Amino acid sequence: MSTSAKGSSSPRKKKTTKAPAQAKRTPRKSSSGAGKQAKRQWISRPFLWKLFLVLTLMIAGWVLYLDATIRDRFEGQRWDIPARVYARPLEIFEGAVLNADLLEVELKGLGYKSTAAIDVPGTYYRQGQRYQIFSRGFEFADSVETAKKMNIVIDADVVSSLTLKTNGTADIVRLDPLNIGGIYPAHHEDRIILSYEQIPELLPQALIAIEDKDFWSHFGLSPKGIARALWVNISAGEVTQGGSTLTQQLVKNFYLDGRRTLWRKVQEAVMSVLLDWHYPKQEILEVYLNEVYLGQSGNRGIHGFGLASQFYFSRSLNELEAHQIALLVAMVKGPTYYNPRRNPERALSRRNLVIEELAKEGIITAAKATALQQKPLDISSRPVFSENLYPAFMDLVRRQLNEEYRQEDLESRGLKIFTTIDPQIQNRAEKAIREILPRLDKSKDSPLESALVLTGLESGEVKAFVGGRETRFAGFNRVLDARRPIGSLAKPAVYLTALSNPARYTLATRLKDEPISKKLANGDVWQPQNYEKKSFGDVSVHQAFAHSMNLASAQLGFDVGIEQVLKTLRQLGVTSDIQPYPSVFLGAFPLSPYEVAQAYQTIAASGFNVPVRAIREVTNAAGETVSRYPYQIEKVVDSRVMHLLQYAMQETMREGTGKSAYRWLPDSLATAGKTGTTNDARDSWFAGMTGDYLSVVWVGKDDNGKTDLTGATGSMRIWAEMMQSLPQRPFSPIVPEGINYAWVADDAAVRTNEGCRNARYLPFVSGSEPVAFAACQQGLQRLKSWFEKVFE
């Protein structure tokens, strides 16, 4: 029983011993877990502090990065300022050649407003041939032209009187030049930079009144403004007012992209505080006024109030009236939505809201506000300048600039390019092509195209430049890149070569206009023909030239030699490589109209090579001259010999292939010229001169198709249309020393009496006059020739 008692008690003892053991182990386990938890807590505190420290450093680094970003751009070059390209400034003085209608064309192009109240710059009033003009000021490289109020009287296309009513007296007045375009950076932003002092006082007042009432007091962010916007939006049940300050708007536009994310808003807020901390309010506002986006012109962004003023009103910002300033401020909220040209009603409503705010803020009186709200938008019908105002000419300017300037400098350094283009002449050149080319175009397939370049007769300055019938289309530039056979426009080189040997050739020398057959090196036979498909037999040099006789010209070319003719072409300024084939005599080689103009410029300048140029001067953003392109000349052809050719070109216009031009030109306008037609009438050419201008015109088809036009019926028709609308002097070349005039028989190279019926008064290089003399066969008095009238 005791054993049994022991046996039965033993398990109980084990259980009782296990239970306490288990009970003892459980607290030990709990104590160990608590230790580990305490250990984890002890470890986590430094970790959190470290994490906090890292995050603080990261945020501080990020803020420092933002701070550096702000200061780097705000204190450096803030914008890429495109090069701005200007036409020549119109110079007005007593005795200046000026047409009253063309003057008005230029004033309208400049955005001058026609009004009887000439009280602000940029206005004019016309009464027939009399003008009152209040010019704008402009900073030229050589001087600052101040705004001037003047009276002008024009009589027979000449300024007969110029009197100033403000700012003293002046012998000459320069109008501000027309901005014809720019050379823009890749982002195509454009702006006119203004300092705070140049900004009308009402503009920042209106902007702050409508966009950021607390601008002068907040720290970049406006809690009050955010709360006010929130209350207004809740009350309206929709978003009608934003809470962004002007500083925030500047940061968004100046530094950040257009993404709408929470992170970007945080960046915007921090950068706004930093910007406000670093810089004066006035400087921030100045940058805002130059940066804000206010519209689009093609692919060019209109930024800043300075450019927007020109774009919408064709006036400088300081010329705007209060209601016009209010309209620009109104557009800040949405330039597309409130575009006054596309959405005039919206723009008017928003403008009037701005005016109402001005009255609420006490900036203007209630009566003044009511009067302003009654005014129309007063915007111009179109911008006064365009990226593509004269696209072909701008192409020429770019090519000439690229020879000296890097593209990045042209796009970002704010250069001013003063060019030679004359808006009045360009207007008439474009008009002539637009009106005449459709009349000439009889085909139903490929249309006729045209190219035109007009230069100063002796200066070589490009005055008009048209690259195709679509004058505003920036496409294929035919003046520079259309290389076509020039036909008879090559003949002056043949005749100059011959006349350079006066012992053998004069204008009176007899030539044979007879069929020619020449076997070429490759075995082909060259057989040229006259346009009339007949020959004229015995003719004089001047007759052969004036009537563009191919057979006589080819024979003369063979007499003087192909190489000598090619040398003369190079002397005239032709740089293209021309192969020495007989067809050179008749212009069977391609040149561009621009290269033809360069060659004829030497003829117009009486044997002096004058580079055709499009640029006068380049200045930097500070107005300092960087480059000048002065008038340069080099004598390459004997002036005496060139005078003989000029006579022959005048005869061409009076008696030869160019005489039909006088259906449109006045008889008093002496001209000189040369027509050109290529095989199958594929190309129509004309080069013409007056006392002021040289012009080269081409008409043809881009696919080289037939045109059924000669030089006289095609290109010369456009030239005559243009010339009849321009005030100019007759062509009257100076007779150089070593030239004598003599009466010669028109049908023989002999001298005769002045009164003979067939007598002609011809120029000769001294000593080359005919020696033989023939008396009159009949005693009839000769009528005065066209040439004598030139010198009366």
Side-chain angles (χ1 to χ4, degrees), residues 298-538:
N299 64 351
R300 181 172 55 120
I302 306 300
H303 287 258
F305 285 89
L307 184 59
S309 174
Q310 294 282 359
F311 185 71
Y312 291 108
F313 300 106
S314 303
R315 299 171 72 178
S316 299
L317 186 61
N318 59 11
E319 297 174 14
L320 297 189
E321 298 177 38
H323 68 291
Q324 295 170 319
I325 290 175
L327 176 59
L328 292 182
V329 171
M331 295 176 62
V332 169
K333 185 177 182 181
T336 302
Y337 189 79
Y338 295 108
N339 185 321
R341 291 194 177 100
R342 295 182 179 179
N343 306 304
E345 293 182 359
R346 291 178 192 164
L348 184 65
S349 176
R350 177 70 180 170
R351 184 207 68 178
N352 288 344
L353 176 62
V354 173
I355 294 171
E356 184 180 324
E357 287 296 321
L358 288 172
K360 286 181 181 178
E361 295 296 318
I363 298 170
I364 61 175
T365 64
K368 176 72 170 177
T370 301
L372 291 176
Q373 289 176 331
Q374 300 304 313
K375 288 181 175 289
L377 291 175
D378 269 348
I379 59 171
S380 59
S381 58
R382 60 181 179 82
V384 296
F385 61 89
S386 165
E387 185 179 352
N388 293 317
L389 189 57
Y390 307 138
F393 179 72
M394 284 293 296
D395 184 24
L396 172 64
V397 170
R398 286 190 185 95
R399 296 191 197 193
Q400 293 190 356
L401 287 171
N402 286 337
E403 295 175 4
E404 297 186 34
Y405 294 90
R406 299 181 305 169
Q407 185 67 21
E408 61 187 86
D409 291 334
L410 295 173
E411 293 175 351
S412 64
R413 299 299 178 184
L415 299 177
K416 290 183 179 179
I417 318 297
F418 295 95
T419 73
T420 61
I421 199 75
D422 187 317
Q424 297 182 19
I425 300 175
Q426 179 74 18
N427 175 276
R428 286 305 182 251
E430 293 179 355
K431 185 173 183 288
I433 287 177
R434 284 197 308 268
E435 292 183 357
I436 301 302
L437 207 58
R439 302 181 200 173
L440 301 176
D441 202 349
K442 307 297 182 184
S443 63
K444 296 181 179 179
D445 46 8
S446 58
L448 286 177
E449 275 295 349
S450 185
L452 182 153
V453 56
L454 182 148
T455 66
L457 187 73
E458 296 180 346
S459 68
E461 290 190 337
V462 176
K463 305 294 184 182
F465 200 92
V466 184
R469 70 188 297 162
E470 297 296 334
T471 58
R472 293 291 188 269
F473 178 63
F476 182 51
N477 193 336
R478 293 169 184 82
V479 178
L480 297 175
D481 300 322
R483 295 174 54 81
R484 304 296 286 264
I486 66 172
S488 294
L489 261 61
K491 288 176 181 174
V494 176
Y495 286 80
L496 270 178
T497 305
L499 294 169
S500 295
N501 184 4
R504 185 175 177 187
Y505 295 101
T506 70
L507 290 176
T509 300
R510 308 304 292 178
L511 300 175
K512 295 293 184 182
D513 187 72
E514 297 175 342
I516 296 175
S517 181
K518 292 287 184 179
K519 190 172 183 178
L520 305 180
N522 62 359
D524 292 342
V525 178
W526 187 58
Q527 294 178 310
Q529 289 183 318
N530 284 329
Y531 179 77
E532 299 84 354
K533 301 295 189 293
K534 65 179 182 179
S535 56
F536 296 91
D538 188 56

Side-chain angles (χ1 to χ4, degrees), residues 735-747:
V735 180
E737 291 186 13
I739 287 290
N740 294 328
Y741 275 80
W743 291 100
V744 298
D746 206 21
D747 54 1

Side-chain angles (χ1 to χ4, degrees), residues 113 399 564 654 764:
K113 184 178 180 180
R399 296 191 197 193
Q564 290 301 311
R654 289 296 183 175
F764 294 88

Side-chain angles (χ1 to χ4, degrees), residues 244-296:
S244 293
T245 65
L246 290 176
T247 313
Q248 287 177 274
Q249 293 179 35
L250 176 59
V251 167
K252 178 177 64 176
N253 295 329
F254 202 56
Y255 295 101
L256 303 175
D257 56 38
R259 288 178 296 177
R260 295 174 175 270
T261 64
L262 179 60
W263 176 245
R264 199 195 66 82
K265 291 296 292 182
V266 172
Q267 280 184 292
E268 177 187 301
V270 173
M271 293 177 80
S272 297
V273 173
L274 290 171
L275 189 66
D276 192 86
W277 180 47
H278 277 299
Y279 302 103
K281 293 282 188 179
Q282 182 173 302
E283 188 174 359
I284 293 171
L285 191 56
E286 177 185 312
V287 176
Y288 181 95
L289 293 169
N290 285 301
E291 169 63 24
V292 63
Y293 172 73
L294 289 168
Q296 195 75 21

